[in-house]
mmCIF file of all heavy atoms in Angstrom:
data_model
loop_
_atom_site.group_PDB
_atom_site.id
_atom_site.type_symbol
_atom_site.label_atom_id
_atom_site.label_comp_id
_atom_site.label_asym_id
_atom_site.label_seq_id
_atom_site.Cartn_x
_atom_site.Cartn_y
_atom_site.Cartn_z
ATOM 1 N N CYS A 264 94.097 21.756 -44.413
ATOM 2 C CA CYS A 264 92.870 21.030 -44.083
ATOM 3 C C CYS A 264 91.852 22.012 -43.524
ATOM 4 O O CYS A 264 92.244 22.875 -42.758
ATOM 5 C CB CYS A 264 93.142 19.978 -43.005
ATOM 6 S SG CYS A 264 93.924 18.525 -43.638
ATOM 7 N N PRO A 265 90.591 21.919 -43.853
ATOM 8 C CA PRO A 265 89.969 20.832 -44.628
ATOM 9 C C PRO A 265 89.849 21.149 -46.122
ATOM 10 O O PRO A 265 89.240 20.382 -46.849
ATOM 11 C CB PRO A 265 88.569 20.781 -44.011
ATOM 12 C CG PRO A 265 88.274 22.223 -43.690
ATOM 13 C CD PRO A 265 89.597 22.844 -43.304
ATOM 14 N N ILE A 268 90.113 18.665 -49.345
ATOM 15 C CA ILE A 268 89.032 17.686 -49.512
ATOM 16 C C ILE A 268 87.708 18.377 -49.819
ATOM 17 O O ILE A 268 86.924 17.896 -50.630
ATOM 18 C CB ILE A 268 88.931 16.759 -48.283
ATOM 19 C CG1 ILE A 268 90.153 15.840 -48.284
ATOM 20 C CG2 ILE A 268 87.634 15.958 -48.312
ATOM 21 C CD1 ILE A 268 90.107 14.722 -47.306
ATOM 22 N N VAL A 269 87.471 19.525 -49.218
ATOM 23 C CA VAL A 269 86.239 20.266 -49.511
ATOM 24 C C VAL A 269 86.181 20.562 -51.010
ATOM 25 O O VAL A 269 85.157 20.344 -51.670
ATOM 26 C CB VAL A 269 86.179 21.581 -48.693
ATOM 27 C CG1 VAL A 269 85.035 22.466 -49.173
ATOM 28 C CG2 VAL A 269 86.020 21.273 -47.209
ATOM 29 N N LYS A 272 85.763 17.314 -53.141
ATOM 30 C CA LYS A 272 84.386 16.829 -53.070
ATOM 31 C C LYS A 272 83.483 17.628 -54.009
ATOM 32 O O LYS A 272 82.682 17.066 -54.755
ATOM 33 C CB LYS A 272 83.903 16.960 -51.623
ATOM 34 C CG LYS A 272 82.533 16.364 -51.380
ATOM 35 C CD LYS A 272 82.228 16.349 -49.892
ATOM 36 C CE LYS A 272 80.927 15.633 -49.579
ATOM 37 N NZ LYS A 272 79.756 16.171 -50.236
ATOM 38 N N GLU A 276 81.623 15.997 -57.399
ATOM 39 C CA GLU A 276 80.162 15.976 -57.528
ATOM 40 C C GLU A 276 79.704 16.388 -58.923
ATOM 41 O O GLU A 276 78.628 15.997 -59.377
ATOM 42 C CB GLU A 276 79.531 16.886 -56.459
ATOM 43 C CG GLU A 276 79.398 16.172 -55.129
ATOM 44 C CD GLU A 276 79.102 17.098 -53.959
ATOM 45 O OE1 GLU A 276 78.860 18.300 -54.206
ATOM 46 O OE2 GLU A 276 79.131 16.609 -52.819
ATOM 47 N N ASP A 290 99.674 20.063 -48.463
ATOM 48 C CA ASP A 290 99.431 19.745 -47.053
ATOM 49 C C ASP A 290 99.726 18.266 -46.800
ATOM 50 O O ASP A 290 99.166 17.388 -47.450
ATOM 51 C CB ASP A 290 97.973 20.070 -46.719
ATOM 52 C CG ASP A 290 97.698 19.984 -45.239
ATOM 53 O OD1 ASP A 290 97.372 18.883 -44.763
ATOM 54 O OD2 ASP A 290 97.830 21.008 -44.564
ATOM 55 N N LYS A 291 100.622 18.014 -45.814
ATOM 56 C CA LYS A 291 101.033 16.621 -45.578
ATOM 57 C C LYS A 291 99.880 15.738 -45.119
ATOM 58 O O LYS A 291 99.841 14.553 -45.396
ATOM 59 C CB LYS A 291 102.150 16.579 -44.542
ATOM 60 C CG LYS A 291 103.480 16.957 -45.146
ATOM 61 C CD LYS A 291 104.628 16.436 -44.291
ATOM 62 C CE LYS A 291 105.962 16.736 -44.963
ATOM 63 N NZ LYS A 291 106.761 17.755 -44.298
ATOM 64 N N GLY A 292 98.931 16.364 -44.414
ATOM 65 C CA GLY A 292 97.789 15.590 -43.929
ATOM 66 C C GLY A 292 96.890 15.101 -45.057
ATOM 67 O O GLY A 292 96.088 14.192 -44.873
ATOM 68 N N SER A 295 96.831 10.892 -46.135
ATOM 69 C CA SER A 295 96.022 9.874 -45.457
ATOM 70 C C SER A 295 94.550 10.245 -45.475
ATOM 71 O O SER A 295 93.679 9.382 -45.554
ATOM 72 C CB SER A 295 96.518 9.655 -44.028
ATOM 73 O OG SER A 295 96.634 10.874 -43.353
ATOM 74 N N ASP A 296 94.266 11.570 -45.428
ATOM 75 C CA ASP A 296 92.866 11.985 -45.424
ATOM 76 C C ASP A 296 92.195 11.721 -46.769
ATOM 77 O O ASP A 296 91.060 11.237 -46.813
ATOM 78 C CB ASP A 296 92.752 13.475 -45.074
ATOM 79 C CG ASP A 296 92.995 13.712 -43.584
ATOM 80 O OD1 ASP A 296 93.128 12.719 -42.848
ATOM 81 O OD2 ASP A 296 93.048 14.876 -43.180
ATOM 82 N N LEU A 297 92.889 12.022 -47.861
ATOM 83 C CA LEU A 297 92.288 11.792 -49.181
ATOM 84 C C LEU A 297 92.032 10.313 -49.430
ATOM 85 O O LEU A 297 90.995 9.926 -49.958
ATOM 86 C CB LEU A 297 93.179 12.356 -50.290
ATOM 87 C CG LEU A 297 92.828 13.762 -50.802
ATOM 88 C CD1 LEU A 297 93.907 14.263 -51.745
ATOM 89 C CD2 LEU A 297 91.467 13.805 -51.482
ATOM 90 N N ALA A 299 91.539 8.024 -47.103
ATOM 91 C CA ALA A 299 90.427 7.603 -46.225
ATOM 92 C C ALA A 299 89.092 8.135 -46.758
ATOM 93 O O ALA A 299 88.087 7.428 -46.740
ATOM 94 C CB ALA A 299 90.662 8.104 -44.796
ATOM 95 N N TRP A 300 89.118 9.370 -47.256
ATOM 96 C CA TRP A 300 87.888 9.968 -47.780
ATOM 97 C C TRP A 300 87.409 9.200 -49.023
ATOM 98 O O TRP A 300 86.232 8.886 -49.157
ATOM 99 C CB TRP A 300 88.123 11.447 -48.136
ATOM 100 C CG TRP A 300 86.996 12.040 -48.917
ATOM 101 C CD1 TRP A 300 85.791 12.447 -48.424
ATOM 102 C CD2 TRP A 300 86.948 12.239 -50.332
ATOM 103 N NE1 TRP A 300 85.004 12.896 -49.446
ATOM 104 C CE2 TRP A 300 85.681 12.785 -50.636
ATOM 105 C CE3 TRP A 300 87.856 12.017 -51.372
ATOM 106 C CZ2 TRP A 300 85.299 13.113 -51.927
ATOM 107 C CZ3 TRP A 300 87.480 12.349 -52.663
ATOM 108 C CH2 TRP A 300 86.208 12.886 -52.932
ATOM 109 N N SER A 303 85.844 5.947 -48.056
ATOM 110 C CA SER A 303 84.524 6.046 -47.424
ATOM 111 C C SER A 303 83.444 6.417 -48.446
ATOM 112 O O SER A 303 82.286 6.088 -48.283
ATOM 113 C CB SER A 303 84.544 7.036 -46.255
ATOM 114 O OG SER A 303 84.404 8.360 -46.715
ATOM 115 N N ARG B 301 89.735 13.695 -37.011
ATOM 116 C CA ARG B 301 90.802 13.132 -37.864
ATOM 117 C C ARG B 301 90.316 11.815 -38.469
ATOM 118 O O ARG B 301 89.291 11.273 -38.064
ATOM 119 C CB ARG B 301 92.064 12.883 -37.034
ATOM 120 C CG ARG B 301 92.723 14.166 -36.537
ATOM 121 C CD ARG B 301 93.875 13.839 -35.612
ATOM 122 N NE ARG B 301 93.398 13.087 -34.452
ATOM 123 C CZ ARG B 301 94.147 12.247 -33.747
ATOM 124 N NH1 ARG B 301 95.408 12.036 -34.080
ATOM 125 N NH2 ARG B 301 93.638 11.608 -32.711
ATOM 126 N N ASN B 302 91.074 11.286 -39.418
ATOM 127 C CA ASN B 302 90.652 10.012 -39.998
ATOM 128 C C ASN B 302 90.802 8.889 -38.966
ATOM 129 O O ASN B 302 91.532 9.014 -37.987
ATOM 130 C CB ASN B 302 91.387 9.718 -41.315
ATOM 131 C CG ASN B 302 92.863 9.476 -41.117
ATOM 132 O OD1 ASN B 302 93.247 8.554 -40.401
ATOM 133 N ND2 ASN B 302 93.708 10.307 -41.724
ATOM 134 N N ASP B 305 94.394 7.567 -37.821
ATOM 135 C CA ASP B 305 95.138 8.472 -36.938
ATOM 136 C C ASP B 305 94.532 8.493 -35.545
ATOM 137 O O ASP B 305 95.246 8.538 -34.543
ATOM 138 C CB ASP B 305 95.141 9.899 -37.516
ATOM 139 C CG ASP B 305 96.031 10.010 -38.751
ATOM 140 O OD1 ASP B 305 96.733 9.019 -39.052
ATOM 141 O OD2 ASP B 305 96.012 11.068 -39.411
ATOM 142 N N TYR B 323 86.384 14.729 -40.490
ATOM 143 C CA TYR B 323 85.784 15.989 -40.970
ATOM 144 C C TYR B 323 85.230 15.844 -42.378
ATOM 145 O O TYR B 323 84.276 16.515 -42.750
ATOM 146 C CB TYR B 323 86.805 17.131 -40.901
ATOM 147 C CG TYR B 323 87.976 16.987 -41.855
ATOM 148 C CD1 TYR B 323 87.920 17.505 -43.145
ATOM 149 C CD2 TYR B 323 89.126 16.312 -41.471
ATOM 150 C CE1 TYR B 323 88.986 17.353 -44.019
ATOM 151 C CE2 TYR B 323 90.188 16.158 -42.344
ATOM 152 C CZ TYR B 323 90.112 16.675 -43.621
ATOM 153 O OH TYR B 323 91.155 16.514 -44.491
ATOM 154 N N PHE B 324 85.828 14.939 -43.167
ATOM 155 C CA PHE B 324 85.368 14.845 -44.558
ATOM 156 C C PHE B 324 84.006 14.151 -44.670
ATOM 157 O O PHE B 324 83.394 14.176 -45.717
ATOM 158 C CB PHE B 324 86.421 14.196 -45.475
ATOM 159 C CG PHE B 324 87.066 12.963 -44.936
ATOM 160 C CD1 PHE B 324 86.401 11.754 -44.945
ATOM 161 C CD2 PHE B 324 88.371 13.002 -44.430
ATOM 162 C CE1 PHE B 324 86.995 10.609 -44.464
ATOM 163 C CE2 PHE B 324 88.976 11.856 -43.933
ATOM 164 C CZ PHE B 324 88.288 10.662 -43.949
ATOM 165 N N ASP B 325 83.550 13.553 -43.556
ATOM 166 C CA ASP B 325 82.189 13.027 -43.557
ATOM 167 C C ASP B 325 81.193 14.076 -43.076
ATOM 168 O O ASP B 325 79.992 13.817 -42.988
ATOM 169 C CB ASP B 325 82.088 11.785 -42.654
ATOM 170 C CG ASP B 325 82.780 10.579 -43.277
ATOM 171 O OD1 ASP B 325 83.013 10.616 -44.504
ATOM 172 O OD2 ASP B 325 83.109 9.632 -42.536
ATOM 173 N N ILE B 327 81.370 17.421 -44.262
ATOM 174 C CA ILE B 327 81.426 18.583 -45.150
ATOM 175 C C ILE B 327 80.025 19.075 -45.520
ATOM 176 O O ILE B 327 79.787 20.270 -45.602
ATOM 177 C CB ILE B 327 82.262 18.261 -46.413
ATOM 178 C CG1 ILE B 327 83.733 18.078 -46.016
ATOM 179 C CG2 ILE B 327 82.138 19.381 -47.458
ATOM 180 C CD1 ILE B 327 84.642 17.607 -47.131
ATOM 181 N N ASP B 328 79.110 18.142 -45.684
ATOM 182 C CA ASP B 328 77.747 18.531 -46.068
ATOM 183 C C ASP B 328 76.885 18.950 -44.882
ATOM 184 O O ASP B 328 75.754 19.373 -45.052
ATOM 185 C CB ASP B 328 77.046 17.380 -46.806
ATOM 186 C CG ASP B 328 77.642 17.173 -48.188
ATOM 187 O OD1 ASP B 328 78.157 18.163 -48.749
ATOM 188 O OD2 ASP B 328 77.612 16.031 -48.686
ATOM 189 N N LYS B 349 95.778 19.688 -37.021
ATOM 190 C CA LYS B 349 96.487 20.964 -36.887
ATOM 191 C C LYS B 349 95.613 22.115 -36.417
ATOM 192 O O LYS B 349 96.143 23.099 -35.936
ATOM 193 C CB LYS B 349 97.143 21.323 -38.222
ATOM 194 C CG LYS B 349 98.464 20.555 -38.425
ATOM 195 C CD LYS B 349 99.113 20.887 -39.740
ATOM 196 C CE LYS B 349 98.394 20.208 -40.884
ATOM 197 N NZ LYS B 349 99.148 20.243 -42.151
ATOM 198 N N GLU B 350 94.323 22.021 -36.610
ATOM 199 C CA GLU B 350 93.383 23.040 -36.148
ATOM 200 C C GLU B 350 92.312 23.365 -37.188
ATOM 201 O O GLU B 350 91.134 23.492 -36.853
ATOM 202 C CB GLU B 350 94.100 24.357 -35.753
ATOM 203 C CG GLU B 350 93.161 25.452 -35.274
ATOM 204 C CD GLU B 350 93.918 26.740 -34.922
ATOM 205 O OE1 GLU B 350 94.698 26.697 -33.945
ATOM 206 O OE2 GLU B 350 93.737 27.756 -35.618
ATOM 207 N N GLY B 351 92.721 23.501 -38.457
ATOM 208 C CA GLY B 351 91.816 23.995 -39.496
ATOM 209 C C GLY B 351 90.488 23.252 -39.555
ATOM 210 O O GLY B 351 89.413 23.865 -39.551
ATOM 211 N N SER B 352 90.536 21.937 -39.583
ATOM 212 C CA SER B 352 89.307 21.164 -39.728
ATOM 213 C C SER B 352 88.443 21.219 -38.476
ATOM 214 O O SER B 352 87.220 21.133 -38.553
ATOM 215 C CB SER B 352 89.630 19.712 -40.066
ATOM 216 O OG SER B 352 90.356 19.660 -41.268
ATOM 217 N N PHE B 355 86.517 24.417 -38.665
ATOM 218 C CA PHE B 355 85.493 24.197 -39.692
ATOM 219 C C PHE B 355 84.278 23.462 -39.104
ATOM 220 O O PHE B 355 83.126 23.880 -39.269
ATOM 221 C CB PHE B 355 86.165 23.392 -40.817
ATOM 222 C CG PHE B 355 85.293 22.920 -41.933
ATOM 223 C CD1 PHE B 355 84.869 23.800 -42.921
ATOM 224 C CD2 PHE B 355 84.931 21.578 -42.034
ATOM 225 C CE1 PHE B 355 84.089 23.351 -43.985
ATOM 226 C CE2 PHE B 355 84.150 21.130 -43.093
ATOM 227 C CZ PHE B 355 83.730 22.023 -44.061
ATOM 228 N N GLU B 634 109.523 21.459 -38.787
ATOM 229 C CA GLU B 634 108.305 20.829 -39.283
ATOM 230 C C GLU B 634 108.488 19.315 -39.413
ATOM 231 O O GLU B 634 107.630 18.516 -39.037
ATOM 232 C CB GLU B 634 107.954 21.453 -40.643
ATOM 233 C CG GLU B 634 106.606 21.064 -41.194
ATOM 234 C CD GLU B 634 105.450 21.356 -40.247
ATOM 235 O OE1 GLU B 634 105.471 22.429 -39.595
ATOM 236 O OE2 GLU B 634 104.543 20.508 -40.142
ATOM 237 N N LYS B 635 109.657 18.938 -39.922
ATOM 238 C CA LYS B 635 109.969 17.517 -40.083
ATOM 239 C C LYS B 635 110.117 16.828 -38.705
ATOM 240 O O LYS B 635 109.644 15.715 -38.500
ATOM 241 C CB LYS B 635 111.266 17.397 -40.907
ATOM 242 C CG LYS B 635 111.787 15.992 -41.090
ATOM 243 C CD LYS B 635 110.956 15.168 -42.051
ATOM 244 C CE LYS B 635 111.493 13.736 -42.126
ATOM 245 N NZ LYS B 635 110.501 12.797 -42.623
ATOM 246 N N GLU B 638 106.772 16.152 -37.253
ATOM 247 C CA GLU B 638 106.116 15.029 -37.926
ATOM 248 C C GLU B 638 106.723 13.694 -37.467
ATOM 249 O O GLU B 638 106.019 12.713 -37.253
ATOM 250 C CB GLU B 638 106.298 15.220 -39.437
ATOM 251 C CG GLU B 638 105.478 14.295 -40.283
ATOM 252 C CD GLU B 638 106.070 14.179 -41.672
ATOM 253 O OE1 GLU B 638 106.709 15.142 -42.135
ATOM 254 O OE2 GLU B 638 105.925 13.113 -42.267
#
Side-chain angles (χ1 to χ4, degrees):
Chain A
C264 282
I268 290 190
V269 170
K272 186 171 186 302
E276 277 166 7
D290 189 272
K291 282 201 176 110
S295 51
D296 285 354
L297 264 172
W300 169 77
S303 82
Chain B
R301 293 174 300 154
N302 67 60
D305 288 353
Y323 67 90
F324 46 77
D325 288 342
I327 292 174
D328 289 332
K349 280 179 285 193
E350 180 181 294
S352 300
F355 174 77
E634 189 56 40
K635 176 73 183 159
E638 191 201 331

